[in-house]
Amino acid sequence: DGGITQSPKYLFRKEGQNVTLSCEQNLNHDAMYWYRQDPGQGLRLIYYSQIVNDFQKGDIAEGYSVSREKKESFPLTVTSAQKNPTAFYLCASSMRTEAFFGQGTRLTVV
Amino acid sequence: GDSVTQMEGPVTLSEEAFLTINCTYTATGYPSLFWYVQYPGEGLQLLLKATKADDKGSNKGFEATYRKETTSFHLEKGSVQVSDSAVYFCALSDRNTGGFKTIFGAGTRLFVKA
């Protein structure tokens, strides 16, 4: 079945560590996105990519980095520069207007 | 820039009650409009969509009509069930340079009591 797979589902990070969240899609979509969701809040765009080897900052890119070496993959690294990384992270992809979402990764700083 | 505003929650209803969640948007172009639903601990699922004025999107008893004159896309359901309890997001997608980007409202949490 086609879809978007995020892993891991739960992730724990120690202070000062970088961690990478995986996002893979087999929908052959050109565009991919990372959103952050805080408890009781909406979605805020971190980074997006419309084509391989190209990506743009969203509204809250500070403390995050991404790469887009393959069409299927768009990993997100949460760096130690991100002061408050505990949140629910959602990856999405789209061909034109409709976005398809993964199941999310819940990141907690311990 | 483009934006989406939806009514604040939570909305609490009894089973079989009528549901309306208001959503208005601002956009420089001619966007497509969406409602997504998020169940606890999960990602977002597309509930319905409309791509042009006066289009009505519908799915699972939910409906929303694209009203360009009022820049609105209100979500309605005639008789809610306990299983409809979730967070509902209104969204738009408009062509930007080289592609599309989806903009979401803040979400409205719905609780349905048996």
Side-chain angles (χ1 to χ4, degrees), chain A residues 58-96:
Chain A
D59 302 318
I60 56 164
E62 185 176 352
Y64 300 96
S65 66
V66 294
S67 63
R68 187 85 187 277
E69 297 176 1
K70 299 186 301 181
K71 188 175 186 178
E72 301 80 16
S73 180
F74 191 42
L76 173 74
T77 296
V78 184
T79 75
S80 57
Q82 171 50 237
K83 299 306 180 188
N84 185 22
T86 295
F88 190 51
Y89 291 87
L90 287 162
C91 179
S93 71
S94 69
M95 179 60 79
R96 293 185 64 82

Side-chain angles (χ1 to χ4, degrees), chain B residues 14-59:
Chain B
S14 297
E15 208 166 22
E16 300 184 2
F18 185 86
L19 168 70
T20 300
I21 301 178
N22 291 336
C23 172
T24 57
Y25 68 91
T26 58
T28 54
Y30 201 171
S32 295
L33 302 175
F34 307 87
W35 278 100
Y36 287 85
V37 59
Q38 183 180 34
Y39 298 101
E42 297 185 6
L44 276 67
Q45 303 172 27
L46 179 68
L47 181 59
L48 53 85
K49 66 179 180 182
T51 59
K52 60 183 186 297
D54 300 324
D55 265 5
K56 178 185 282 188
S58 62
N59 186 26

Side-chain angles (χ1 to χ4, degrees), chain A residues 9 31 33 35 37 40-43 45 48 50 57-59 88 90 94-104 106, chain B residues 32 34 36 38 41-46 49 51 87 89 93 95-107 109:
Chain A
K9 188 172 177 66
Y33 312 82
Y35 293 91
Q37 186 178 29
Q41 303 296 312
L43 280 70
L45 183 64
Y48 63 104
Q50 293 164 344
K57 293 181 179 180
D59 302 318
F88 190 51
L90 287 162
S94 69
M95 179 60 79
R96 293 185 64 82
T97 59
E98 179 180 336
F100 292 80
F101 283 83
Q103 290 299 298
R106 186 168 300 282
Chain B
S32 295
F34 307 87
Y36 287 85
Q38 183 180 34
E42 297 185 6
L44 276 67
Q45 303 172 27
L46 179 68
K49 66 179 180 182
T51 59
V87 180
F89 291 92
S93 180
R95 180 180 293 277
N96 57 23
T97 303
F100 292 86
K101 189 168 61 173
T102 305
I103 296 170
F104 292 87
R109 184 174 296 276

